[in-house]
Amino acid sequence: MTGLAEKLFTEHDLSDAELKALILTDDTAAENLLAERADEVRQKYYGKKVFLRGLIEMSSICRNDCYYCGIRRSNKNAERYRLTPDEIMECCDEGYKLGFRTFVMQGGEDAYYTDDVLCPIIGKIKGRYPDCAVTLSIGERSYESYERLKNAGADRYLLRHEAAADELYSKLHPDFMSLENRKRCLSDLKRLGYQVGAGFMVGAPYQTVEDIICDLRYMQELQPQMIGIGPFVPHRDTQFRDEKSGTAELTIRLLGIIRLMFPRVLLPATTALGTIAENGRERGLKTGCNVIMPNLSPAAVRRKYSLYDNKIYSGSEAAECCGEMRDLIARAGYEVSTERGDFVNTKEN
């Protein structure tokens, strides 16, 4: 198996059969080499820098009904909230003082946030903080909407495809949602010049290793600048409440594989990984990750943005506890960067 890890390091790709073998391996030597090579590649393009993104969870109101999500519209137990434009700006003001140079505006697909509401907010952030990037993560919209948001100053857009295999996607989502439309959105975002983020859950219900390979192949086609993966974690108010979580081991192995397949990608060590394993994000950083997104949302609403059970929202996860986050990053052998942290756009491999 070490030979497959080495081949992926040099060629940035494997056959489906080789990928399956590496994804499923329990060879410790191969896993160690994979992590070592992934770290080598991330340092080639980004050095020891870890980019912090200030996460602003704008709303727990969502029109969608994804079967795995705690804020799905049919969950009557979910605590709903919505930040006002002024509250969003207060989050940015606080984040800028703390040293963040990217703000990630994330939320459910809340009909309140029309283009007429969002564009002035984006414009105000960019006007007040021109050295900062604005990332949006607010779901599926029309080409025209994405274009207006881009023209208002949005730089990046995160939209996990969740599952690139039609059958799996349909098992995780209601009939009114479609993989075809999700892919259309991602293609539109690429065409408009956003730095685009895609990604999927690891260990989702019904997921097979063939589904994971399908995800990897789709992302090779899309070529996103950011890839976000994290373990599936069940929520008590969904039909998957009794399913097992994805594992840190498989998630970290896939982070290494993704870093070698997509050498320049911006790769976060996610909150979900930190939720299921105390040292999960530290291990992720050592296996190719170079982004962490501390929470800038008002403290009073953080626990209400409950996508899955036991989500961490305090301690090093909280943006105001930057010292703890810096310590975590330092323990992993890296350093916090105060740059925007854009995708390294070079043809060199």
Side-chain angles (χ1 to χ4, degrees), residues 283-313:
R283 291 172 63 191
L285 291 173
K286 292 179 178 178
T287 314
C289 291
N290 62 340
V291 172
I292 288 182
M293 295 196 289
N295 201 323
L296 269 176
S297 308
V301 305
R302 287 179 193 170
R303 65 178 182 82
K304 297 179 183 180
Y305 197 77
S306 177
L307 305 183
Y308 48 83
D309 283 349
N310 303 314
K311 180 184 171 190
I312 50 177
Y313 56 87

Side-chain angles (χ1 to χ4, degrees), residues 12-13 23 36 38 42 71 82 108 110 113 135 140 145 148 189 196 243 245 269 274 297 336 339 345-346:
H12 308 309
D13 201 6
I23 290 169
E36 179 184 325
R42 66 93 76 190
I71 64 170
R82 175 188 293 139
D110 183 346
Y113 292 110
T135 300
E140 298 178 356
S145 175
R148 283 192 65 186
L189 291 163
V196 173
E243 297 290 331
S245 294
S297 308
V336 171
E339 302 169 21
N345 193 14
T346 172

Side-chain angles (χ1 to χ4, degrees), residues 221-241:
E221 176 187 337
L222 180 67
Q223 287 298 308
Q225 288 86 4
M226 300 165 282
I227 295 176
I229 70 166
F232 162 75
V233 184
H235 190 283
R236 62 190 175 279
D237 293 323
T238 71
Q239 66 192 62
F240 298 137
R241 65 180 68 84

